[in-house]
Amino acid sequence: MSSVEIKLNAKEILDKDFKTGMRGYNQDEVDKFLDVVIQDYEAYQRKVDQLIKENEELRQEMKRQSDRPSRSQSAPQPQPQSAGSTNYDILQRLSNLEKKVFGSKMYE
């Protein structure tokens, strides 16, 4: 997936102990900051989980769409008429058109 490896999780951050020195950090301030960091990590993990789930759902939907035949493939194709019947239809239409345009004088 990603080339970035997650090195910490919320529990590791919570369980981390810092050595105290003579003039060390204020332990309450460090704890409050780590609480904020833990909340961020948990929020990021929820978001990552949500995106992974959404990604999987979309992949499955794409697979279903690609497996389903398209409408153009499933629609029945009209059967080609034989040349004789097509020519007869064209001649009949032409005859009707001539009657309309030239009237019955042509056939008297």
Side-chain angles (χ1 to χ4, degrees):
M1 268 195 186
S2 174
S3 63
V4 177
E5 183 180 332
I6 298 174
K7 297 178 182 167
L8 298 174
N9 62 36
K11 180 153 177 45
E12 290 172 342
I13 295 170
L14 178 65
D15 292 342
K16 175 67 178 165
D17 284 329
F18 295 95
K19 297 177 185 173
T20 56
M22 185 89 153
R23 298 181 58 116
Y25 294 104
N26 179 343
Q27 193 164 357
D28 289 337
E29 189 177 336
V30 171
D31 287 343
K32 288 178 185 177
F33 178 76
L34 289 177
D35 288 342
V36 171
V37 172
I38 289 169
Q39 290 173 357
D40 280 353
Y41 263 77
E42 289 171 343
Y44 289 137
Q45 189 59 50
R46 284 191 301 271
K47 186 66 173 175
V48 166
D49 292 342
Q50 174 195 355
L51 292 172
I52 289 171
K53 181 180 176 184
E54 182 180 339
N55 188 342
E56 183 60 33
E57 290 171 357
L58 291 172
R59 286 178 189 268
Q60 289 174 1
E61 179 65 25
M62 281 179 44
K63 186 173 185 324
R64 282 193 299 270
Q65 291 293 333
S66 67
D67 290 346
R68 183 182 308 161
S70 67
R71 283 192 240 184
S72 64
Q73 292 174 344
S74 63
Q77 298 294 326
Q79 295 296 324
Q81 296 179 345
S82 67
S85 65
T86 303
N87 288 340
Y88 176 76
D89 290 339
I90 292 172
L91 291 173
Q92 187 66 35
R93 288 181 178 178
L94 184 58
S95 175
N96 290 338
L97 183 61
E98 287 175 342
K99 285 180 187 175
K100 295 279 187 192
V101 172
F102 297 114
S104 60
K105 294 179 186 177
M106 187 173 169
Y107 293 99
E108 291 178 354

